[in-house]
Amino acid sequence: HEASDSLKHIQGIFPINTEVLELFKVVADSHEVAQFLQTIEDQGADRFTELYELITHYLQHEEYDEEVLNQLPTGRNHLKPFLDKVCTFSELIENICDLGLPQNESFDALKTINKNVVLVEQWFSKAQSDTLDSVVQDLNQVISTGEFCISQHGRKGVLILQFQSHRGEKSIKWSEEEIN
């Protein structure tokens, strides 16, 4: 009975519903995921989105746990209010309420990520290192062959860089061919 009275008192101060309370419970079990996402968020506001898009692209032609990958944006969204290091409790509650949590939200996305945090960390780690590695590989490809191939969604384009010594002419050509 005391707990019920305390909850009613808190709900009188803050607009807390059962979904908000359930989110607190799930977030309490998400310490590892929150830490991981905080390191990504510390790299810049758009860094998560950039890496997520890279991961999605890399995994297109591989066997992977699609359910985990698809749950990442929603799980991150649920944790985002808790990643703000300088907000007050009132601001935290306001930010959670701004999420517009649907009634009976079960937070399956966050629970799925919690169970697969090691896999998620591996994906992001690979995406971060591959970004740097691929730049070097792409540059070496251009230097050695003068060509750089770009393909996307069944289409292929080839950027051919033809160059001569510093005294000669330089030209760039673009060609595109359909892949069936």
Side-chain angles (χ1 to χ4, degrees):
H1 189 1
E2 274 185 49
S4 178
D5 289 342
S6 295
L7 179 58
K8 286 180 184 175
H9 176 71
I10 291 172
Q11 287 176 321
I13 300 169
F14 300 106
I16 297 177
N17 57 25
T18 55
E19 287 73 31
V20 171
L21 295 175
E22 179 66 21
L23 178 58
F24 272 96
K25 180 181 171 194
V26 175
V27 167
D29 295 332
S30 304
H31 178 71
E32 215 176 326
V33 175
Q35 266 186 320
F36 167 72
L37 285 175
Q38 187 64 60
T39 61
I40 301 295
E41 297 292 327
D42 288 346
Q43 296 173 26
D46 296 329
R47 188 63 175 155
F48 175 87
T49 304
E50 291 169 8
L51 292 173
Y52 180 76
E53 288 173 359
L54 273 173
I55 292 165
T56 303
H57 178 73
Y58 287 143
L59 295 178
Q60 272 182 344
H61 305 291
E62 294 183 24
E63 199 169 308
Y64 66 96
D65 194 337
E66 187 176 357
E67 180 186 358
V68 176
L69 183 65
N70 292 340
Q71 300 290 350
L72 283 171
T74 302
R76 173 186 176 243
N77 188 48
H78 290 153
L79 272 176
K80 199 159 176 127
F82 297 90
L83 300 178
D84 186 348
K85 297 176 185 176
V86 295
C87 72
T88 65
F89 185 73
S90 296
E91 291 169 333
L92 174 64
I93 297 299
E94 186 177 314
N95 292 340
I96 293 169
C97 290
D98 288 346
L99 292 175
L101 300 173
Q103 284 188 328
N104 301 318
E105 174 66 56
S106 62
F107 303 103
D108 287 339
L110 196 49
K111 291 174 184 176
T112 299
I113 296 168
N114 281 334
K115 291 177 190 171
N116 296 281
V117 68
V118 172
L119 177 62
V120 171
E121 288 174 339
Q122 288 173 346
W123 285 341
F124 275 81
S125 177
K126 181 169 174 31
Q128 286 178 316
S129 66
D130 281 357
T131 304
L132 296 175
D133 293 344
S134 66
V135 168
V136 173
Q137 289 172 352
D138 293 345
L139 183 58
N140 285 335
Q141 175 72 18
V142 169
I143 290 171
S144 65
T145 67
E147 294 184 10
F148 179 69
C149 296
I150 302 167
S151 65
Q152 182 178 7
H153 305 296
R155 295 179 53 99
K156 180 179 180 183
V158 178
L159 178 63
I160 301 173
L161 303 173
Q162 297 177 336
F163 52 91
Q164 297 177 356
S165 67
H166 293 292
R167 296 182 201 127
E169 290 185 20
K170 300 174 188 175
S171 65
I172 298 176
K173 295 181 181 178
W174 171 259
S175 67
E176 188 176 301
E177 59 188 61
E178 194 74 33
I179 297 177
N180 295 325

